[in-house]
Amino acid sequence: MLLISLKNIFWPTVKPGARALLALATCALAGCVTSTTPILDDPKAILGDRIQVHLFTPAKDGARKHSTATFDWVGARYLPRGSSSDFTEFSIHAYEGRDLIIQSRASRRGGPFEYGLARRIAEGAYLVIPISEEDADEPARERFCTKTSGASCRITTPEQLFVFARATAAKDEESGGIAVILPAAARR
């Protein structure tokens, strides 16, 4: 997916195709906030109706790996074109300042929704980092996280998400993935 970007230690364990997905919205690491249903509503095609995403993984030893995927806006979400199981649906939402929030399904087979920040660094280019419970202080984690057998921090409301998104944004992280968004050619 487009908005999924994980911490440097996680990237080497993910298949190259799935890394593109991570740059937009998925976060399979412990410490990332998740929900069982989408909690952000009123999504819009902020990035365009049909987009091509070029994802560059976080730098590891000075090198970044590159993946590409094309997505179509369908109703209320971006859906990957093609049959690759490495890419999942996502929506993107305006947030604060130059940041957007990515809401993505963990896998095509279902599973939780995961969240990331897409920080605009140039026209069409975004730094993508997971929204992590670990970025918030202990009182915030105690108050807003529900621990389950499948998640270290399950959330249910936009307000809870925004607490963690602000904490992640305040870290001013620079080690995420880079997503470059381009308009994709129209279907023929």
Side-chain angles (χ1 to χ4, degrees):
M1 197 162 195
L2 179 63
L3 296 178
I4 306 171
S5 178
L6 302 178
K7 302 289 184 194
N8 286 338
I9 60 171
F10 182 67
W11 282 96
T13 66
V14 179
K15 289 191 260 178
R19 289 183 181 133
L21 189 56
L22 291 176
L24 285 181
T26 67
C27 184
L29 271 180
C32 294
V33 299
T34 63
S35 63
T36 56
T37 61
I39 59 175
L40 296 177
D41 57 8
D42 197 29
K44 305 228 182 319
I46 295 172
L47 303 174
D49 290 331
R50 176 178 216 127
I51 57 173
Q52 185 176 60
V53 177
H54 293 263
L55 177 68
F56 301 86
T57 62
K60 188 82 170 166
D61 299 325
R64 290 183 183 264
K65 293 191 178 165
H66 173 252
S67 298
T68 303
T70 300
F71 295 86
D72 290 322
W73 179 256
V74 179
R77 63 193 184 270
Y78 286 100
L79 295 176
R81 281 192 62 209
S83 60
S84 171
S85 62
D86 289 341
F87 303 97
T88 66
E89 68 185 66
F90 71 93
S91 60
I92 193 155
H93 306 264
Y95 184 50
E96 296 177 344
R98 60 187 177 149
D99 294 338
L100 303 171
I101 291 181
I102 302 162
Q103 175 174 260
S104 68
R105 183 68 91 169
S107 77
R108 281 195 173 185
R109 293 184 294 289
F113 285 82
E114 300 168 328
Y115 299 88
L117 280 181
R119 175 163 290 156
R120 185 172 177 240
I121 54 178
E123 185 66 36
Y126 298 86
L127 174 68
V128 182
I129 51 178
I131 295 175
S132 175
E133 72 175 274
E134 296 167 4
D135 293 334
D137 61 20
E138 186 63 32
R141 290 192 303 266
E142 289 292 322
R143 182 172 178 200
F144 296 112
C145 283
T146 300
K147 294 188 185 311
T148 68
S149 61
S152 61
C153 185
R154 187 72 49 137
I155 58 174
T156 58
T157 68
E159 293 74 22
Q160 290 171 310
L161 175 60
F162 299 155
V163 166
F164 294 107
R166 282 188 195 99
T168 295
K171 294 286 184 181
D172 205 26
E173 181 74 39
E174 293 182 8
S175 63
I178 303 292
V180 178
I181 314 302
L182 301 170
R187 283 190 163 170
R188 296 177 190 207

